[in-house]
Amino acid sequence: MPDPVSAPSSNTPMRIRARGRSFLALVLSPEAPLPAWLEGLDYQIARSGGLFTGKPVILDLGLLSETTPGLTTLLDDIRSRGVRVIGIEGGSRHWPAVAHWDWPETLDGGRPAGEVEIPEDPAVSAAAPVSSSGTLIVEQTVRSGQSIQHMQGDVIILGSVSSGAEIVAAGSIHVYGTLRGRAIAGVGGQSQSRIFASRMLAELLALDGYYAVTEDIDPAILGQAAQATLNEDRVRVLPLTA
């Protein structure tokens, strides 16, 4: 009898499963004088409620020149603040001031997603769970850098969701204003969950682990009342009709 451990496998190669996953990368564009810009960055980090924590960042050198004072240490100065730089654009590796930099590999295929508003107050004090079903109601706009996570049911946003903000729910997500940020519903296998928005401009929609980005939404639906549903392992965005 052959050893089951060494027995040959099937001639059919195992199918490898892969799914796309999109992340919003923030773009930082330093300006001269760099010491003043770094002070401004420190201020934004202090008030943003973790906007840069764990987020991928592209460093855009387009507003600088190869002779900008302070450019030599700029990358280290930014990284020392906990900012995760995954790409650099707008400058040249041949500039003497940056020749020693540890340049990340170039990323292709990125698309602009609009300016991200830095929140003044990271707290969402208006968020309050209501009803025995575990629904969470947020009575104000969710600002850039804020993340609302609710693993007990649906989330209802009475305001809007700004670009760079994130809503995560075990159930469905209802946005009575404009949805510009990321909405992730059906966490934990609730594939019947949906995402509703009075004005759909989402950067990313996710249902039970399946994702769609702005470019996947029919342009005729963008900016209109719409819902996202999961159909045959694909996130579909459909208009809401009266």
Side-chain angles (χ1 to χ4, degrees):
M1 178 178 294
D3 184 353
V5 175
S6 59
S9 61
S10 169
N11 291 329
T12 304
M14 178 180 290
R15 180 185 177 190
I16 304 300
R17 300 180 182 274
R19 289 188 307 193
R21 179 166 295 185
S22 299
F23 296 90
L24 176 69
L26 303 175
V27 178
L28 283 180
S29 300
E31 303 177 51
L34 288 177
W37 183 85
L38 288 168
E39 287 183 7
L41 179 62
D42 289 335
Y43 175 70
Q44 300 287 19
I45 290 173
R47 71 173 187 166
S48 67
L51 174 62
F52 299 104
T53 303
K55 299 293 192 304
V57 170
I58 305 295
L59 179 61
D60 179 10
L61 303 179
L63 299 178
L64 305 177
S65 72
E66 59 182 308
T67 60
T68 300
L71 181 58
T72 300
T73 61
L74 178 62
L75 183 58
D76 288 339
D77 290 338
I78 292 174
R79 284 175 168 168
S80 69
R81 289 161 168 79
V83 178
R84 182 183 172 195
V85 178
I86 65 166
I88 300 174
E89 62 186 24
S92 172
R93 295 172 184 257
H94 302 296
W95 290 357
V98 302
H100 65 287
W101 281 13
D102 178 18
W103 283 62
E105 292 297 324
T106 302
L107 299 176
D108 297 324
R111 298 180 178 89
E115 186 173 343
V116 173
E117 174 191 355
I118 305 293
E120 295 286 348
D121 182 1
V124 185
S125 58
V130 298
S131 86
S132 59
S133 65
T135 299
L136 178 72
I137 295 179
V138 179
E139 297 183 353
Q140 296 179 347
T141 290
V142 183
R143 297 176 178 175
S144 297
Q146 295 177 324
S147 178
I148 304 294
Q149 300 185 15
H150 185 59
M151 299 298 108
Q152 288 76 46
D154 294 356
V155 172
I156 298 174
I157 309 294
L158 299 184
S160 296
V161 179
S162 300
S163 175
E166 181 179 77
I167 310 297
V168 182
S172 296
I173 296 173
H174 308 254
V175 180
Y176 283 86
T178 300
L179 172 56
R180 287 190 175 91
R182 303 180 294 275
I184 302 170
V187 176
Q190 298 192 40
S191 58
Q192 76 284 359
S193 299
R194 300 189 182 193
I195 300 169
F196 303 88
S198 296
R199 189 164 181 253
M200 180 67 76
L201 290 168
E203 294 163 353
L204 182 143
L205 300 167
L207 290 164
D208 191 20
Y210 293 89
Y211 291 76
V213 295
T214 306
E215 290 76 13
D216 299 322
I217 303 175
D218 184 344
I221 298 177
L222 282 174
Q224 306 300 316
Q227 64 170 316
T229 66
L230 188 61
N231 189 311
E232 296 181 349
D233 295 341
R234 178 182 173 188
V235 175
R236 300 180 183 274
V237 182
L238 307 171
L240 279 176
T241 57

